[in-house]
Amino acid sequence: MNPYDVLIAPFTEFEFMRRALAGVFALALGAGPLGAFLMLRRMSLTGDAMAHAILPGAAIGFLFAGLNLYAMTAGGLAAGLLVAVGAGVVARATGMKEDASLAAFYLISLALGVLIVSLKGSNVDLLHVLFGTVLGIDDATLILIASITTLTLVTLAFIWRPLVLECVDPTFLASVSRAGGVSHIAFLSLVVMNLVGGFHALGTLLSVGLMMLPAATARFFVRDLTALVTLSTVIAFAAGTIGLLVSYHLGTPSGPSIILVAGLAYAAAVVFGPIGGLVTRLVPGRHLEA
């Protein structure tokens, strides 16, 4: 089998593969920058919690309208924002830390969402909600994902400076500007929206993977923020493309294939990454040579 048949033919011959590729590209454009900021702000687990938090809202939308794009999207957005705000309120009104509060909220949300889907739907519906159907993306879903990505990039352009400052020196930002709180809320809203968009392609359990794994991988290769965001986006798109090809040729589920490819890239970066990788740490540098 020649390289064309392996790498190009699946996308030229089948429309559903081209749709899936376009969807993965749109998801990567939004997930790359957000994943980088989540990691730099030490909010990686927050992204995971928010991915689970959208499930009950999407499940309620499914309960009333079945696998309806707009009902599940509206429900997922409402549930994600509710959990984000609720966890913050509990953390500030009680002695509980915000990470513990988020963990409690997302565990309850996950269990509630699975229960709601199970009550009305079949095992196939449950698998669709949990793991997505990236190969089944239609025009409406593609437009929704592209719209979320466009809004994400435009919003990031406006809040870029306060986001960067909050990563570097939040105390200084608070002393000179009130933009920190607004940018934080806007950033969390963007995370929720992108997780909802990813939910339709990769499901609730995997959508955060395309956001966090490429960012964590890129951190082993670059230090500069712009390079980190760019490389995260490139890795996310590459993992999506290779995952689709693996799914096509081996007959494996597309969503898990994409995330596993991203996971393999992360594992390779942990071992061979030039910035903090295991090999780099074990092999003495030139400045130690006689």
Side-chain angles (χ1 to χ4, degrees):
M1 186 177 292
N2 60 57
Y4 177 86
D5 292 332
V6 175
L7 302 175
I8 307 299
F11 299 112
T12 59
E13 294 179 7
F14 299 101
E15 184 179 359
F16 71 89
M17 288 292 289
R18 292 195 294 274
R19 289 177 186 271
L21 184 64
V24 164
F25 178 68
L27 288 173
L29 282 178
L34 293 177
F37 276 109
L38 281 171
M39 184 181 62
L40 291 177
R41 292 158 66 98
R42 293 180 172 85
M43 295 174 63
S44 300
L45 291 179
T46 299
D48 184 55
M50 299 311 300
H52 292 82
I54 67 176
L55 182 56
I60 291 173
F62 171 79
L63 188 65
F64 287 99
L67 294 173
N68 181 277
L69 174 68
Y70 302 106
M72 295 180 73
T73 298
L77 285 172
L81 294 173
L82 180 63
V83 167
V85 173
V89 169
V90 169
R92 285 161 177 75
T94 68
M96 182 174 289
K97 299 293 185 181
E98 190 166 8
D99 59 342
S101 178
L102 268 173
F105 269 81
Y106 99 73
L107 288 170
I108 295 169
S109 298
L110 179 61
L112 181 61
V114 171
L115 178 63
I116 292 173
V117 176
S118 300
L119 286 176
K120 181 181 179 181
S122 63
N123 289 335
V124 174
D125 294 324
L126 182 60
L127 289 174
H128 172 89
V129 170
L130 293 179
F131 300 107
T133 53
V134 66
L135 293 181
I137 291 178
D138 56 13
D139 286 340
T141 305
L142 198 55
I143 291 172
L144 173 68
I145 294 173
S147 299
I148 290 173
T149 299
T150 302
L151 179 61
T152 298
L153 296 178
V154 171
T155 305
L156 282 176
F158 280 99
I159 65 173
W160 183 269
R161 291 186 69 183
L163 274 181
V164 174
L165 277 174
E166 198 169 24
C167 291
V168 177
D169 194 345
T171 304
F172 172 75
L173 177 62
S175 67
V176 300
S177 174
R178 296 182 179 179
V182 176
S183 64
H184 181 71
I185 293 172
F187 176 71
L188 284 180
S189 300
L190 292 178
V191 171
V192 172
M193 285 192 292
N194 277 268
L195 289 173
V196 170
F199 153 76
H200 291 295
L202 300 173
T204 56
L205 297 185
L206 299 177
S207 58
V208 72
L210 199 63
M211 191 174 288
M212 295 312 309
L213 284 172
T217 303
R219 193 67 183 86
F220 284 97
F221 293 93
V222 295
R223 294 187 184 275
D224 178 73
L225 177 59
T226 303
L228 179 65
V229 167
T230 303
L231 186 57
S232 297
T233 304
V234 171
I235 293 173
F237 179 58
T241 304
I242 295 171
L244 288 175
L245 290 171
V246 169
S247 174
Y248 174 82
H249 291 295
L250 300 183
T252 55
S254 52
S257 298
I258 290 172
I259 303 305
L260 282 175
V261 169
L264 289 174
Y266 172 73
V270 168
V271 177
F272 301 107
I275 302 177
L278 293 176
V279 172
T280 304
R281 287 178 174 271
L282 292 175
V283 177
R286 289 184 176 273
H287 67 285
L288 296 179
E289 293 179 0

